[in-house]
Amino acid sequence: MNADISVLAASGKSGRRVVAALRAAGHTVRAASRTAEVRFDWQDPRTWPAVTDGAGALYLVAPEDPAPVRQFVDLVQESGVKRVVLLSGRAREVWGDRFGHAMAAAEDAIRGSDLSWTILGANNFMQNFTEDLWYEPLLAGRLALPTGGVPEPLVDLDDVAAVAARLLTSDEYAGRTVEVSGPAALTFAEAVATIAAAAGRPIRFEELTPAAYADELRAAGLDEEWVALLGGLLELMREGHVAAPTTGVEDVLGRPPRSFADWVAEIAPSGVWGS
């Protein structure tokens, strides 16, 4: 396939890595977001044709608001896009109303389409410790979560992006869900201890009750929607639905996924967690 590949959320954590992986392999990419090379705004349908018209494949990251998803997927199909890879999470069958409303809506929309689709179901990213949810708490020296001590095989976003790039350029996994994780599950206490040792400074993990976690989120200024979303995510994790490692990275790329210890050893010398 020689047509352009559109990548949504191209300024975000996964999107920018997918853009880099595709370009490194010689593909022509439309990097799209509200601030990227191609302007795309979920709330402005006038921007949608810039990523759909004439494109051969599309990397889809669902918006926070699921309302426009089905209309957008209809346009993707009408525009002649042949292949869609949707970033989602694992254990979709047990989410219910607890988590992932927009991702679930996007899954339903593409499954009901005539597109050649693949769903990329990922564990929590290692980069959540450097770019998102758990970064500021680590800098403050304390990460507190209600995990119940259940381990998780955290996945490197560079592995996720490499898998996405391969799926966007092949029909081998069409109509399937590819679940990607790291090679081994570890508890968040173990993850934080690994980071603290590499950073050379005290950082502790504290196990919270779900109620105490919700209270801390509210105290940090999060609204009730985010409190419910993050609480639902941690509830699913505590139930063990995403605790077992998968073979998705190796199945698609022919190599094992990166370990958390190797990722930390590479990242820590940059001083990202202080010293």
Side-chain angles (χ1 to χ4, degrees), residues 9-196:
S11 303
K13 286 191 302 183
S14 73
R16 71 175 187 269
R17 291 174 167 90
V18 174
V19 168
L22 287 167
R23 287 180 172 166
H27 299 286
T28 303
V29 180
R30 300 182 197 175
S33 75
R34 284 179 294 181
T35 59
E37 302 156 15
V38 177
R39 184 172 178 273
F40 177 87
D41 186 339
W42 281 102
Q43 301 305 316
D44 185 359
R46 294 172 299 179
T47 67
W48 298 357
V51 302
T52 60
D53 289 357
L58 181 138
Y59 177 69
L60 175 58
V61 179
E64 291 180 11
D65 177 8
V69 169
R70 189 168 295 275
Q71 181 184 350
F72 176 72
V73 170
D74 288 343
L75 177 64
V76 171
Q77 184 169 288
E78 293 165 5
S79 299
V81 175
K82 301 300 183 186
R83 186 179 299 131
V84 172
V85 173
L86 169 67
L87 178 65
S88 190
R90 292 180 61 192
R92 163 70 175 87
E93 67 279 2
V94 299
W95 293 355
D97 291 330
R98 295 181 290 178
F99 173 73
H101 303 125
M103 290 189 295
E107 285 200 27
D108 292 343
I110 66 168
R111 287 180 185 274
S113 73
D114 293 327
L115 295 161
S116 175
W117 55 264
T118 306
I119 294 167
L120 186 54
N123 272 90
N124 275 297
F125 308 136
M126 296 178 186
Q127 282 77 4
N128 287 346
F129 291 106
T130 57
E131 300 178 28
D132 200 353
L133 294 172
W134 308 314
Y135 180 49
E136 292 297 332
L138 289 176
L139 289 184
R142 170 185 175 268
L143 177 62
L145 299 170
T147 69
V150 177
E152 179 168 0
L154 300 155
V155 65
D156 182 2
L157 259 173
D158 289 330
D159 284 340
V160 176
V163 170
R166 185 70 58 86
L167 297 177
L168 285 161
T169 55
S170 169
D171 280 327
E172 183 178 358
Y173 291 89
R176 296 169 58 182
T177 295
V178 176
E179 294 193 336
V180 289
S181 77
L186 69 164
T187 66
F188 275 70
E190 292 168 335
V192 170
T194 300
I195 290 170

Side-chain angles (χ1 to χ4, degrees), residues 219-236:
L222 274 70
D223 62 29
E224 288 304 315
E225 184 177 353
W226 273 101
V227 171
L229 176 71
L230 294 174
L233 171 64
L234 270 295
E235 183 177 29
L236 291 165

Side-chain angles (χ1 to χ4, degrees), residues 252-266:
V252 175
L253 301 179
R255 63 163 176 81
R258 188 182 225 185
S259 73
F260 186 76
D262 286 348
W263 177 76
V264 169
E266 179 177 321

Side-chain angles (χ1 to χ4, degrees), residues 238-255:
R238 286 195 305 276
E239 291 172 357
H241 299 296
V242 296
T246 75
T247 61
V249 172
E250 188 157 10
D251 291 344
V252 175
L253 301 179
R255 63 163 176 81

